[in-house]
Amino acid sequence: MKKIFTLIALLAFFLGAKAEEVVDVEVDLTTVTADTWQHGWVDENNALPYLSFDSDGLHFHNEEAKSLRYEIQFQPFPGVSNLDNDASYTITIKIKGSVAGGVDAFFSGSSAPGTMNVTTDWQTLTFEGCMNNPNDQYFANSGSILIQCGDYVGDWWISYVKITHEEKESSRPVEWLQLITNGDAETAWPEWSLEKNDEGINVNWRGDRAPEICAWDLTMGTNSGDTGADGSLDGRARPYPATIEAEEGNESNHVFAVHVEQIDKIDDDNSIQWSNQFWIQAPKEMKAGTKVHLKFRYKAEKACKTNTQIHKQHPSDYLHYVGIGDVSFTTDWQEFDQTVTFSDAQGGGWSVAFNLCADSSVDTPQEPNVFYFDDLSWEVMKLDEGWFVASSNTATGIEYDYDNATELVYDAGEEAYTATVGTKGKKDTWVNELMISTVRGENAAFKGATIKPTGTIKTDDPNNWLDYTAGSQYKIKLPAAGVWQVSVAPNENGNGGQVLFLQVEGDAAKEAIAVVTNTTEVVVNGLERDDLSDTAQGDNPQREEEGGAGETWDNQFFIVANRALEAGEVTVLKFKYKASKEAKTTTQCHGEPGGYIHWGAIGDVNFTTDWQDFEKEFTIPNECDGKGMKTIAFNMAEIKEACDYELKDFQWYLKYDEEGKTLENLINETGSDNFYVKEGAGTTPHVFGESGINTVVNNGKKTSTAIYNLAGQRVSKDYKGIVVKEGKKYIVK
């Protein structure tokens, strides 16, 4: 049933450049030092000892090849936030080496890493790919480039990196809107914002008017309420509007000053990084996809580096550890001037927090320091606000026109915002896909502010109101092409609401069909986990030598859909299961069996020796968008011992509102084509009931030729199982 509401606009901003080429990342590494380096991720033990900076840029030096390229890996710079899944990206890298060789580089999460062929002369390498093409190298759901180079011996340098994508030109010019006031610190704070209680703690830092303050600070020993001796934050100091002072040597100008006298300690070895903080605060929430033009001037009495975070509505209400990168202070004024995009993880943030004690490894409290900020500016793009719908027809070639999206108009009788898409009597205007947004005026902005309905869309049920939530870049698949009426009724608090779809005319929708049950009894004879040791590479341990624990994916079961699934599709999975002993299995999303896409699927499945019934509603994760996800993989070597797993009576279908019905069964009613197994380290996935082994070779002789397992990982010469050597597959006994 629809809800009565008061409209509160669900604003979200996402700026793409007006020009066709949008620059997402551009870094001149010849201007970077170790102190000013803003990277994505670097393990201090795994990679940092091999990296430095000189006049040629980022310098890598390695004197001894590692067995596996993963043994040295890192992200050399922050990546692209809020990737556009429909866009085609280009990576440009200028690189040279002391010797010719290969260095792998790709967007983290890609199952198909690309190789940069390094030469002894400077060369500019260019790589292109589309997010929605799972076969493209370098491109996956992460916008951070991961470099792996453990097998490279010598030196290489990267001097320049650029990532761009093509974007349809918007029809209206960019106009920025300033959100904060008093960013120049020339006006004293209102008295209400400085009010204290009997304990000397600010009473309005969480108040409704708090967003009126654009700058806050917190200093231990000054703002009262020191942290407890055990490191708990129960008695922690509370933020105050940042101190406003006349600038030394320029008394006519005022600045925000944060006087750091001490840092609080957890123990003898670790300081609390956030003991002293400064916030630049916006007066409203930034949705995922919001593009913020952030500017400010900054300096300190002593040079140091700080890190930044994103916080929620109230200062010190932590949201996400990634802010705007590390900010290195010097004793001279510098200007920060960047356009940053709030990622999905940062969505809901209101402020950028500066941790003014960024070194968490110091043995003694840092020396007192004073940090200065001035001319704070927080701008977002000026857009039409309300409710808008854009449409397409994937069958006839009608493309989305975001700039001219149809506005939904308030209908008092329906108590909803309503619009009709397509023209009655004109079949060439029929659509089969929609995007509903809260803003209009720029292509990427529209896509970043879309909503995601839950439930089954029906063609002719006026009571079929579906709940919705925010869903960046979400495309709504209609049950049939036609002319459609769309109605949106937001909740009173502006957090979600309900949406209704009614077909005015068009093709008939699919008829619901009965859910089928495949009664194939699958048995996975899980072998004892391989005893090769784990050489830990982050979360991806690799086999190296005997004496270890093998891999959790040495034994696997795969249930494979008849087609690639799209992010947001809601499915239901059911089966019966038991094992010869109690055992836990973890699950992942794959493309084809063995083609890893995402770590999360249906969660853990805990087997017992008795038959159990498994049933779960499984929504295809956003991380699988456009990646050709077809398979749920069960890792059946979570326990080391050999174990026989049995599964039967499978159902996997699209969720439908009527019990026992669906619009599509995702697996066949008979046969085992939808079920793959992998039994033992080094074996390859194959259809249950068929052999996955074609060639058997006894190979007892030693060889210097590199060998790889089926995952493409280099392995020891003593590795047993299926290997790839000189492009051919063998079984080594």
Side-chain angles (χ1 to χ4, degrees), residues 687-704:
V687 174
F688 172 69
E690 299 179 5
S691 173
I693 302 174
N694 299 316
T695 305
V696 178
V697 175
N698 284 313
N699 184 10
K701 64 180 181 180
K702 295 182 178 180
T703 174
S704 60

Side-chain angles (χ1 to χ4, degrees), residues 195-197 199-203 205 223-225 236 238 240:
E195 184 181 352
K196 300 180 181 180
N197 61 18
E199 287 75 39
I201 296 175
N202 188 307
V203 297
W205 71 290
N223 291 30
S224 300
R236 187 179 166 207
R238 301 306 181 195
Y240 274 84

Side-chain angles (χ1 to χ4, degrees), residues 182-201:
N182 201 33
D184 58 5
E186 294 304 321
T187 303
W189 299 122
E191 290 186 6
W192 65 263
S193 68
L194 304 175
E195 184 181 352
K196 300 180 181 180
N197 61 18
D198 293 339
E199 287 75 39
I201 296 175

